[in-house]
Amino acid sequence: MKKPYSFVKPLFMLLFALLLGVSVKAGNVTTISLDGGESFGVNDGNNALDVSSAWTFEAWINVGSFVSSNYECIMDRRTVFSFYLISDAADGSDYAVRFVSRDANGNIIASLRCDDANTANMQFDTWYHVAATFDGTTAKLYVNDTIYDSNTDTDWILTASTNALNIGGRYWGSYSRQMSNTDIDEIRVSNIARTVGDMQTNVSSEEYYVDTNTVLLMHLDDLGVPPTYITDPVINLNGTTFKDDIASSDYFAPTDMLLRPAYASKATGNWSDSTSWQYYNGSTSTYEDALLTPDYYDDAVFVSNGD
């Protein structure tokens, strides 16, 4: 296939898609900006969030600043786990993240962090993918595509709970530890330990599809108040969403186009068929087979000449 010879701009994409009967969607249009006193979450209506023996919790975060003594929460489920921001004094970085398991009294019983000997060097005003996983034996903490901590503590079997999953803060009788200056996006909870190859680890990644191990996925693109989620139909998490002072004005379009990959055609075929497309993964000089079609996004794509 020869090199791409032209850009297809969003208007032409829309017209072309309409002619083919393709449903045009806007991928990763917005994120939520939290600036104190705001958080959201979901109640567990059928115990689907009790991912005790194998799990992955992940999100994209862009921290502008934080109050280190407040341990501002990315995610929290009371008496189960907390995923939060901490100071990074190891190398002078702006901040780090920590994931902990908790007992029935809320005490920390197992911990992962990225500010020890192998520090993640996280900086303000930069998007990072953060994830914690457990496969039944080993728990791991990722920042982007790198493992920064792991251990085989027996206390990583998370306790079952009727408490809600809170995002951007925590609720232990009242709201606290809410993020004071952080953008958050693409939140996913899974009932398996995801591998790094199954994660969005750079900003050129495609958005997630719901698969058979997706307990909860939040794209935050529909301006829902409270924010909405999707789940695998078999898992069928049927919890209700809730908010603490979240408003439609908290949504905004990221200027650095988080998770909007550059597409290039790789074969002749139907525009709406993902097998006709590949996307630039941003970290190497190669393209990867696409799972989504370029009409999912509102950015330009490369079209090859078909030879």
Side-chain angles (χ1 to χ4, degrees), residues 32 40 56 64 104 107 128 150 175-176 181 197 206 257 264 304 306:
I32 279 185
F40 56 97
T56 300
N107 300 311
Y128 293 98
S150 66
Y175 287 105
S176 65
N181 184 14
E206 293 188 301
M257 297 169 53
S304 300

PDB file of all heavy atoms in Angstrom, residues 32 40 56 64 104 107 128 150 175-176 181 197 206 257 264 304 306:
ATOM      1  N   ILE A  32     -14.159  14.946  32.450  1.00  0.00           N
ATOM      2  CA  ILE A  32     -14.708  15.710  33.571  1.00  0.00           C
ATOM      3  C   ILE A  32     -13.565  16.369  34.329  1.00  0.00           C
ATOM      4  O   ILE A  32     -12.538  15.738  34.596  1.00  0.00           O
ATOM      5  CB  ILE A  32     -15.540  14.816  34.515  1.00  0.00           C
ATOM      6  CG1 ILE A  32     -16.942  14.619  33.935  1.00  0.00           C
ATOM      7  CG2 ILE A  32     -15.653  15.401  35.910  1.00  0.00           C
ATOM      8  CD1 ILE A  32     -17.883  13.857  34.835  1.00  0.00           C
ATOM      9  N   PHE A  40     -18.441  11.490  41.920  1.00  0.00           N
ATOM     10  CA  PHE A  40     -19.573  10.747  41.386  1.00  0.00           C
ATOM     11  C   PHE A  40     -19.295   9.264  41.575  1.00  0.00           C
ATOM     12  O   PHE A  40     -18.216   8.872  42.048  1.00  0.00           O
ATOM     13  CB  PHE A  40     -19.829  11.086  39.919  1.00  0.00           C
ATOM     14  CG  PHE A  40     -18.648  10.873  39.000  1.00  0.00           C
ATOM     15  CD1 PHE A  40     -18.524   9.708  38.249  1.00  0.00           C
ATOM     16  CD2 PHE A  40     -17.656  11.832  38.866  1.00  0.00           C
ATOM     17  CE1 PHE A  40     -17.449   9.508  37.397  1.00  0.00           C
ATOM     18  CE2 PHE A  40     -16.573  11.651  38.010  1.00  0.00           C
ATOM     19  CZ  PHE A  40     -16.477  10.485  37.276  1.00  0.00           C
ATOM     20  N   THR A  56      -9.221  -5.464  37.797  1.00  0.00           N
ATOM     21  CA  THR A  56      -8.450  -4.342  37.268  1.00  0.00           C
ATOM     22  C   THR A  56      -9.264  -3.071  37.469  1.00  0.00           C
ATOM     23  O   THR A  56     -10.444  -3.018  37.121  1.00  0.00           O
ATOM     24  CB  THR A  56      -8.149  -4.505  35.766  1.00  0.00           C
ATOM     25  OG1 THR A  56      -7.396  -5.697  35.555  1.00  0.00           O
ATOM     26  CG2 THR A  56      -7.346  -3.311  35.242  1.00  0.00           C
ATOM     27  N   GLY A  64      -3.604  18.808  37.858  1.00  0.00           N
ATOM     28  CA  GLY A  64      -3.032  20.147  37.797  1.00  0.00           C
ATOM     29  C   GLY A  64      -2.315  20.509  39.076  1.00  0.00           C
ATOM     30  O   GLY A  64      -1.257  21.135  39.076  1.00  0.00           O
ATOM     31  N   ALA A 104     -12.434  -4.717  56.962  1.00  0.00           N
ATOM     32  CA  ALA A 104     -13.809  -4.341  57.287  1.00  0.00           C
ATOM     33  C   ALA A 104     -13.894  -3.073  58.125  1.00  0.00           C
ATOM     34  O   ALA A 104     -14.949  -2.442  58.196  1.00  0.00           O
ATOM     35  CB  ALA A 104     -14.503  -5.490  58.011  1.00  0.00           C
ATOM     36  N   ASN A 107      -9.090  -0.217  57.543  1.00  0.00           N
ATOM     37  CA  ASN A 107      -7.638  -0.153  57.688  1.00  0.00           C
ATOM     38  C   ASN A 107      -6.927  -0.662  56.437  1.00  0.00           C
ATOM     39  O   ASN A 107      -7.396  -1.605  55.786  1.00  0.00           O
ATOM     40  CB  ASN A 107      -7.187  -0.990  58.894  1.00  0.00           C
ATOM     41  CG  ASN A 107      -7.802  -0.500  60.183  1.00  0.00           C
ATOM     42  OD1 ASN A 107      -7.771   0.687  60.492  1.00  0.00           O
ATOM     43  ND2 ASN A 107      -8.383  -1.423  60.947  1.00  0.00           N
ATOM     44  N   TYR A 128      -2.005  10.717  32.261  1.00  0.00           N
ATOM     45  CA  TYR A 128      -1.434   9.408  32.570  1.00  0.00           C
ATOM     46  C   TYR A 128      -2.549   8.370  32.648  1.00  0.00           C
ATOM     47  O   TYR A 128      -3.642   8.647  33.178  1.00  0.00           O
ATOM     48  CB  TYR A 128      -0.697   9.415  33.914  1.00  0.00           C
ATOM     49  CG  TYR A 128       0.550  10.246  33.947  1.00  0.00           C
ATOM     50  CD1 TYR A 128       0.514  11.544  34.472  1.00  0.00           C
ATOM     51  CD2 TYR A 128       1.758   9.758  33.469  1.00  0.00           C
ATOM     52  CE1 TYR A 128       1.665  12.326  34.509  1.00  0.00           C
ATOM     53  CE2 TYR A 128       2.918  10.532  33.513  1.00  0.00           C
ATOM     54  CZ  TYR A 128       2.855  11.816  34.033  1.00  0.00           C
ATOM     55  OH  TYR A 128       4.000  12.573  34.071  1.00  0.00           O
ATOM     56  N   SER A 150       4.702  -4.287  42.501  1.00  0.00           N
ATOM     57  CA  SER A 150       3.943  -5.538  42.508  1.00  0.00           C
ATOM     58  C   SER A 150       4.283  -6.310  43.781  1.00  0.00           C
ATOM     59  O   SER A 150       5.375  -6.156  44.339  1.00  0.00           O
ATOM     60  CB  SER A 150       4.266  -6.394  41.274  1.00  0.00           C
ATOM     61  OG  SER A 150       5.605  -6.833  41.305  1.00  0.00           O
ATOM     62  N   TYR A 175     -18.752  13.063  52.377  1.00  0.00           N
ATOM     63  CA  TYR A 175     -17.790  13.160  51.284  1.00  0.00           C
ATOM     64  C   TYR A 175     -16.476  13.770  51.781  1.00  0.00           C
ATOM     65  O   TYR A 175     -16.474  14.721  52.571  1.00  0.00           O
ATOM     66  CB  TYR A 175     -18.355  13.992  50.136  1.00  0.00           C
ATOM     67  CG  TYR A 175     -19.425  13.273  49.350  1.00  0.00           C
ATOM     68  CD1 TYR A 175     -20.769  13.602  49.495  1.00  0.00           C
ATOM     69  CD2 TYR A 175     -19.092  12.252  48.469  1.00  0.00           C
ATOM     70  CE1 TYR A 175     -21.753  12.940  48.778  1.00  0.00           C
ATOM     71  CE2 TYR A 175     -20.068  11.581  47.745  1.00  0.00           C
ATOM     72  CZ  TYR A 175     -21.392  11.929  47.909  1.00  0.00           C
ATOM     73  OH  TYR A 175     -22.368  11.257  47.198  1.00  0.00           O
ATOM     74  N   SER A 176     -15.369  13.224  51.282  1.00  0.00           N
ATOM     75  CA  SER A 176     -14.050  13.742  51.631  1.00  0.00           C
ATOM     76  C   SER A 176     -13.051  13.309  50.562  1.00  0.00           C
ATOM     77  O   SER A 176     -13.385  12.558  49.638  1.00  0.00           O
ATOM     78  CB  SER A 176     -13.599  13.236  53.006  1.00  0.00           C
ATOM     79  OG  SER A 176     -13.427  11.830  52.989  1.00  0.00           O
ATOM     80  N   ASN A 181      -8.029  19.518  41.771  1.00  0.00           N
ATOM     81  CA  ASN A 181      -7.670  20.079  40.459  1.00  0.00           C
ATOM     82  C   ASN A 181      -7.208  18.948  39.536  1.00  0.00           C
ATOM     83  O   ASN A 181      -6.030  18.855  39.204  1.00  0.00           O
ATOM     84  CB  ASN A 181      -6.568  21.126  40.617  1.00  0.00           C
ATOM     85  CG  ASN A 181      -6.205  21.821  39.314  1.00  0.00           C
ATOM     86  OD1 ASN A 181      -6.939  21.722  38.321  1.00  0.00           O
ATOM     87  ND2 ASN A 181      -5.089  22.512  39.298  1.00  0.00           N
ATOM     88  N   GLY A 197      -1.086  -5.174  27.286  1.00  0.00           N
ATOM     89  CA  GLY A 197      -1.524  -5.176  25.901  1.00  0.00           C
ATOM     90  C   GLY A 197      -3.013  -4.961  25.739  1.00  0.00           C
ATOM     91  O   GLY A 197      -3.488  -4.691  24.628  1.00  0.00           O
ATOM     92  N   GLU A 206      -7.081   3.508  20.987  1.00  0.00           N
ATOM     93  CA  GLU A 206      -8.519   3.552  20.730  1.00  0.00           C
ATOM     94  C   GLU A 206      -9.278   3.488  22.050  1.00  0.00           C
ATOM     95  O   GLU A 206      -8.754   3.025  23.062  1.00  0.00           O
ATOM     96  CB  GLU A 206      -8.940   2.359  19.866  1.00  0.00           C
ATOM     97  CG  GLU A 206      -8.405   2.385  18.447  1.00  0.00           C
ATOM     98  CD  GLU A 206      -9.022   1.287  17.606  1.00  0.00           C
ATOM     99  OE1 GLU A 206      -8.878   0.106  17.954  1.00  0.00           O
ATOM    100  OE2 GLU A 206      -9.650   1.611  16.599  1.00  0.00           O
ATOM    101  N   MET A 257      -6.662  16.176  22.732  1.00  0.00           N
ATOM    102  CA  MET A 257      -7.316  15.099  21.991  1.00  0.00           C
ATOM    103  C   MET A 257      -6.983  13.724  22.556  1.00  0.00           C
ATOM    104  O   MET A 257      -6.440  12.852  21.887  1.00  0.00           O
ATOM    105  CB  MET A 257      -6.956  15.178  20.506  1.00  0.00           C
ATOM    106  CG  MET A 257      -7.442  16.455  19.857  1.00  0.00           C
ATOM    107  SD  MET A 257      -6.783  16.759  18.201  1.00  0.00           S
ATOM    108  CE  MET A 257      -7.185  15.238  17.397  1.00  0.00           C
ATOM    109  N   ALA A 264      -5.478   5.078   9.300  1.00  0.00           N
ATOM    110  CA  ALA A 264      -5.061   4.950   7.901  1.00  0.00           C
ATOM    111  C   ALA A 264      -5.734   3.718   7.322  1.00  0.00           C
ATOM    112  O   ALA A 264      -5.880   2.692   8.001  1.00  0.00           O
ATOM    113  CB  ALA A 264      -3.549   4.818   7.781  1.00  0.00           C
ATOM    114  N   SER A 304      -5.598   5.838   1.805  1.00  0.00           N
ATOM    115  CA  SER A 304      -4.611   5.422   0.822  1.00  0.00           C
ATOM    116  C   SER A 304      -5.250   5.333  -0.562  1.00  0.00           C
ATOM    117  O   SER A 304      -6.468   5.303  -0.716  1.00  0.00           O
ATOM    118  CB  SER A 304      -4.024   4.067   1.212  1.00  0.00           C
ATOM    119  OG  SER A 304      -3.391   4.159   2.480  1.00  0.00           O
ATOM    120  N   GLY A 306      -5.358   2.884  -2.631  1.00  0.00           N
ATOM    121  CA  GLY A 306      -5.953   1.601  -2.985  1.00  0.00           C
ATOM    122  C   GLY A 306      -5.051   0.654  -3.739  1.00  0.00           C
ATOM    123  O   GLY A 306      -5.450  -0.459  -4.037  1.00  0.00           O
TER     124      GLY A 306
END
